[in-house]
Each structure stands twice: as C-alpha cells, then as structure tokens.
C-alpha cells in the first residue's frame, strides 16, 4: 500500500511537491486516459457494512465489485463473483478502495505562487490585514502575467490529490480590475471536461474600502456564481453598510453569497447575527449564504453559540472551513449536528499568505479527525464527510449509501482497506474520475 504520512499532532503539513496528472504512460499495460464513455471498472473495493464489538464499531467490511460506467454515471454495480462476459473496454482497479471524489470548497486559484519558483511569504508577524492588502497590491501585477498557467498547475495538483469539484474565490480589486477573473475563467475553460469550479467574486481589498461595487456587479454578469465579502468592520470600517452593499448585489443579480469573516472581536459576532437577520428578512437569500472561516464562532459559547447555530440552521447557511488549528477551535461538529452544512477547503497551496498547503482534502479529513477526537473506526469514517461534500460510503448504521446506480462517476481509487484507514493514513490517489473520465493517475487494462 502506498500511503502519505499522517499529519503531525500539531496539524503541520509538508508543502506540496507537485504531483501532476500523469501525461505519459510508459507501462503499456496501463492507461492514463479512457477514450470510451462506456466501460467497465473491475475489482473495485466497496464498503459493505460495519463490524461491532457490543455497541462499538471496530471494523469495516468490504467486498470486490465490478462497475459499469456510461456517459458519466454508474449504471451497474455487481459483485465480482457474478461477473458476466462483456465486450466493453475493461480496466482493473486491482482491489483498490473506491471513495467519493473530494471537493475543495474554499480555495484561491487566481493568485497562487504554485507552478512557479519557490517563494516563501514575507514575514507576517505584527502585520495587520490592511498591511497584507497593501502588500498584495504590489504582488498582483507580478502574478497576473502567469496566473493562467499557475491556476492550471493547481488544478492538476488538486486532481492528483482526488479533487474534481471546487469553489474558487477570485480577486476583484482596483489593481487587477477584472483581469484576475478573466484569467481564471481561461484556465477553467481549458479544464471544463475534467474539473468543475464555482467562482466567488472576492473584494479582497474591501468592498467599500476599495470602491469596487461596480466591478463586482460587472463580475456577476460574467458567469460568477457568488458575491464575496470581507471583514466588514476591520477592512471596510462599517459593518452594516458593508454587509448591506454585499447583500444588495446578491439580491439584484440573484446570486449566492460567500463572505470571508476572520473577525473574532465582538464586531465579528455582531456581523454573523446581522447576516442571520438579513437573510430572515430577505427569503430569496435563504440557503444561498456561506460564511467562510467564521472564526467568531470559535469565541462564542453556551447559550449564545446555541442561538447563533440555531439561526444559521433555520436560514440554511453553510460554513466553509479550512479546519484551522490555533487558539480557538471551531465548533464544526456542533454545526453539523444542528443541521448547518459544513464544507471545507484548502484555501491555498502557497501564496503570500501561507506556504503550507498540499492540495489534499483527505489531509483535511485527517486533521478534522485529530482535532475532534475521531480516532476510532466509526469516527474516522465519519470524518471523511468534511472532504467529500458530506458524501459517505456507509450511513451511520453501516448501510451502504454510496455508490448507487445512477450516481455520477465522481470517484477516486486509493490503496486503503476502508474509509477509516484512508482518513488516518492519507494514501496517495491512484486514480481520479470526473464525470466518468479518468483525470488523474493510471489504470491497468483488464
């Protein structure tokens, strides 16, 4: 079994060292692309149920299956023991475990150092967010000429790590105007057959502070799905005015909202409560607002936290987290338990903010398991949900719920015996599929 090292207890991860999608296949018995939309994937390991000791889950049962893929969907799933002859092209998974493909739902593809020469961020100690914005204003002109190729490099890395779906924030600022968005869309257009990505128009330098309301509205007409925002008190200096401007764009253009909220001061708490009230007063926003980071939740407790989570659930907010380590621990399990959709992302691989990303969402599941004490078989298996958009092979009672016939063929093959082992050991992705297409790794011809 090939497996990556588990994260250290501190959660620190080694920087990514480029695992691009294979472009050449020297072994003639293996392929790195499948030309037919209709084929068989044989000897796939699927989870079948849990084994128990008393009331405790102690192991996961699996079996070998053959899958038929047609036009991006799984059309048959049958045990290997009842295999019948077929004229379809066939490929051998070799007993590798099939898992749902991962989803990186908070990343910045538009302003990365990845794909270029090594460059560590400048020291941040003592720097405010306004200092970092000023620094970014000098960096962006140097990044723009290479931003398409860098975005493509990160897309290939994400695919190699098992991610086929993402949500990328993209700068809308006075320095780049709409250029960052245009460049990101060029990169995504090149990968429209093998990668799906939503875009958030992100006013990184402040919606009010940088006076980009009109640019944001232009971006909404260019196929962007979400209106972004940023720290309405710390950056814009006017919490209600900033949030009202963000929601106004969303309502006028019938788009969703995904706001960066790093503030942990009382202003951050007030901002979350204000957004809950705003959505309550504007039903078209219900189910369309994501709080990215939402660190203020980590400083709430007891009744106040319960009431805020209840409000988020009632208005169908989602929370996007990078599963942060640090002083405050985010109440991610409590959010999930109360019905708030929690999604996760890597944020960045390497940029002027951080150099520590690897592009692996399995690594995020591993970190989630460590932070929240999910070290047993059941807890590890549940932790996978943070990386897959809440898609798990087995439900809580151990009944297989994925994959099912007619499910999209969004999946990965890993060298692990079960989900729990995959989360604990972070194995390398041997093959990744998007809409049935092999987009990463290789397969053996059957």
């Amino acid at each position: 079994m090939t497996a990556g090292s588990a994260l250290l207890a501190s959660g620190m991860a080694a920087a990514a060292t480029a695992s691009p999608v294979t472009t050449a296949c020297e072994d003639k018995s293996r392929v790195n692309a499948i030309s037919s939309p209709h084929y068989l994937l044989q000897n796939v390991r699927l989870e079948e149920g849990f084994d128990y000791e008393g009331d405790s889950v102690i192991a996961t049962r699996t079996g070998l299956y053959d899958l038929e893929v047609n036009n991006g969907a799984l059309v048959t799933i049958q045990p290997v023991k009842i295999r019948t002859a077929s004229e379809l092209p066939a490929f051998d998974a070799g007993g590798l475990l099939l898992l749902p493909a991962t989803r990186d739902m908070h990343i910045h593809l538009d302003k990365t150092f990845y794909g270029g020469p090594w460059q560590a961020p400048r020291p941040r100690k003592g720097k405010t967010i306004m200092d970092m914005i000023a620094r970014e204003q000098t960096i962006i002109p140097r990044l723009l000429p290479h931003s398409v190729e860098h975005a493509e490099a990160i897309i290939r890395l994400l695919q190699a790590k098992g991610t086929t779906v993402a949500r990328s924030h993209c700068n809308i600022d006075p320095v780049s105007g709409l250029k960052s968005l245009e460049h990101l869309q060029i990169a995504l257009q090149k990968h429209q057959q093998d990668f799906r990505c939503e875009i958030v128009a992100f006013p990184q330098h402040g919606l009010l502070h940088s006076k980009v309301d009109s640019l944001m509205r232009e971006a909404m007409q260019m196929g962007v799905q979400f209106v972004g925002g940023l720290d309405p008190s710390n950056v814009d200096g006017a919490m209600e005015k900033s949030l009202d401007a963000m929601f106004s764009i969303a309502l006028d253009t019938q788009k969703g909202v995904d706001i960066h909220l790093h503030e942990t001061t009382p202003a951050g708490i007030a901002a979350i409560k204000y957004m809950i009230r705003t959505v309550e007063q504007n039903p078209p926003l219900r189910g369309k607002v994501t709080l990215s980071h939402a660190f203020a939740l980590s400083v709430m407790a007891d009744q106040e936290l319960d009431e805020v989570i209840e409000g988020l659930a009632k208005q169908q907010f989602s929370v996007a987290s990078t599963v942060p380590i640090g002083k405050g621990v985010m109440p991610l399990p409590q959010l999930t338990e109360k019905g708030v959709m929690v999604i996760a992302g890597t944020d960045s691989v390497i940029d002027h903010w951080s150099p520590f990303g690897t592009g692996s969402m399995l690594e995020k599941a591993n970190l989630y398991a460590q932070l929240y004490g999910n070290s047993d078989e059941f807890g590890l298996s549940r932790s996978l949900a943070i990386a897959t958009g809440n898609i798990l092979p087995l439900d809580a009672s151990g009944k297989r719920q994925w994959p099912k016939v007619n499910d999209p063929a969004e999946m990965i093959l890993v060298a692990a015996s079960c989900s729990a082992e995959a989360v604990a050991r972070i194995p390398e992705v041997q093959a990744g599929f998007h809409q049935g297409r092999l987009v990463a790794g290789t397969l053996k011809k059957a």
Side-chain angles (χ1 to χ4, degrees):
M1 180 183 299
T2 303
S5 299
L7 287 178
L8 299 176
S10 66
M12 295 288 285
T17 56
S19 299
V21 175
T22 305
T23 55
C25 198
E26 295 180 0
D27 185 344
K28 299 301 183 182
S29 69
R30 303 189 70 84
V31 299
N32 56 23
I34 300 174
S35 58
S36 173
H38 194 188
Y39 62 90
L40 296 176
L41 187 59
Q42 298 177 330
N43 299 314
V44 174
R45 186 169 303 281
L46 297 182
E47 296 187 356
E48 297 181 327
F50 292 133
D51 286 337
Y52 293 84
E53 185 176 82
D55 294 331
S56 299
V57 174
I58 60 168
T60 303
R61 287 181 282 105
T62 63
L64 293 180
Y65 290 77
D66 292 341
L67 310 182
E68 181 182 347
V69 178
N70 192 10
N71 291 318
L74 299 172
V75 294
T76 64
I77 303 170
Q78 63 180 17
V80 166
K81 63 185 178 182
I82 61 171
R83 180 182 297 165
T84 56
S86 172
E87 297 299 318
L88 289 173
F91 305 92
D92 186 3
L96 293 172
L97 177 71
L98 192 78
L99 294 177
T102 59
R103 302 180 178 208
D104 192 327
M105 301 306 287
H106 186 104
I107 192 169
H108 296 259
L109 296 175
D110 63 310
K111 53 180 183 182
T112 178
F113 296 166
Y114 189 77
W118 163 256
Q119 181 181 347
R122 299 292 190 269
R124 285 186 61 184
K125 187 175 182 179
K127 302 293 183 182
T128 66
I129 191 167
M130 301 309 292
D131 293 328
M132 293 298 292
I133 289 172
R135 180 178 293 173
E136 183 172 290
Q137 290 169 344
T138 68
I139 292 173
I140 285 176
R142 301 199 300 270
L143 291 177
L144 275 174
H146 310 285
S147 61
V148 173
E149 62 191 80
H150 287 186
E152 285 195 84
I154 270 206
I155 289 169
R156 290 191 294 269
L157 174 67
L158 295 181
Q159 290 172 323
K161 298 293 185 178
T163 290
T164 59
V165 174
R167 180 186 295 178
S168 177
H169 294 253
C170 181
N171 265 41
I172 305 295
D173 60 69
V175 178
S176 62
L178 297 172
K179 286 296 183 184
S180 290
L181 175 58
E182 292 168 359
H183 289 192
L184 176 57
Q185 289 180 321
I186 290 170
L188 293 176
Q189 178 68 21
K190 292 181 178 182
H191 289 273
Q192 62 177 328
Q193 298 299 314
D194 56 46
F195 189 77
R196 180 165 63 86
C197 185
E198 301 170 331
I199 300 177
V200 183
F202 177 40
Q204 171 73 84
H205 303 169
L207 179 56
L208 304 182
H209 179 74
S210 61
K211 301 176 182 177
V212 291
D213 189 285
S214 61
L215 278 176
M216 291 283 288
R217 290 177 181 274
E218 284 187 62
M220 294 302 111
Q221 305 307 314
M222 294 172 62
V224 170
Q225 291 86 3
F226 293 88
V227 180
L230 173 68
D231 298 342
S233 296
N234 286 355
V235 175
D236 278 342
M239 185 265 282
E240 293 188 7
K241 186 178 179 181
S242 177
L243 295 177
D244 286 347
M246 177 187 70
F247 283 124
S248 176
I249 298 170
L251 287 166
D252 290 348
T253 59
Q254 299 182 332
K255 303 288 187 176
V257 168
D258 190 334
I259 178 175
H260 282 63
L261 190 64
H262 307 97
E263 299 165 345
T264 56
T265 61
I269 297 173
I272 293 177
K273 294 178 178 179
Y274 186 81
M275 285 188 276
I276 293 172
R277 291 196 300 273
T278 299
V279 174
E280 185 176 18
Q281 294 162 8
N282 295 273
L285 293 170
R286 185 172 296 124
K288 296 172 67 177
V289 180
T290 299
L291 303 182
S292 279
H293 304 304
F295 294 147
L297 293 172
S298 71
V299 298
M300 297 185 206
D302 304 326
Q303 183 177 347
E304 182 179 42
L305 178 60
D306 291 340
E307 289 175 353
V308 166
I309 292 178
E310 182 180 347
L312 294 172
K314 187 174 182 181
Q315 301 308 323
Q316 299 172 29
F317 278 66
S318 57
V319 172
S321 179
T322 59
V323 195
I325 56 174
K327 294 180 181 178
V329 177
M330 288 289 294
L332 301 183
Q334 296 96 307
L335 288 164
T336 299
E337 289 166 9
K338 296 296 183 180
V340 178
M341 181 66 175
V342 176
I343 54 181
T346 59
D347 206 353
S348 102
V349 173
I350 178 169
D351 58 17
H352 57 288
W353 297 87
S354 171
F356 294 117
T358 66
S360 171
M361 288 303 299
L362 274 180
E363 191 173 84
K364 290 297 179 181
N366 175 286
L367 180 54
Y368 182 95
Q370 291 190 58
L371 280 175
Y372 300 107
N374 292 346
S375 60
D376 58 86
E377 184 84 4
F378 183 76
L380 286 165
S381 74
R382 301 302 91 184
S383 297
L384 180 66
I386 199 77
T388 62
N390 211 33
I391 301 172
L392 292 173
L394 302 180
D395 66 17
S397 66
K399 182 180 178 181
R400 191 171 80 214
Q401 59 185 1
W402 181 93
K404 301 189 300 293
V405 170
N406 296 324
D407 276 348
E410 297 282 337
M411 53 200 186
I412 59 176
L413 289 168
V414 297
S417 62
C418 60
S419 297
E421 183 179 6
V423 170
R425 306 311 307 158
I426 320 177
E428 293 179 5
V429 173
Q430 303 297 315
F433 301 81
H434 176 62
Q435 297 178 353
R437 297 181 182 88
L438 178 63
V439 299
T442 64
L443 285 172
K444 185 178 180 181
K445 298 175 186 177

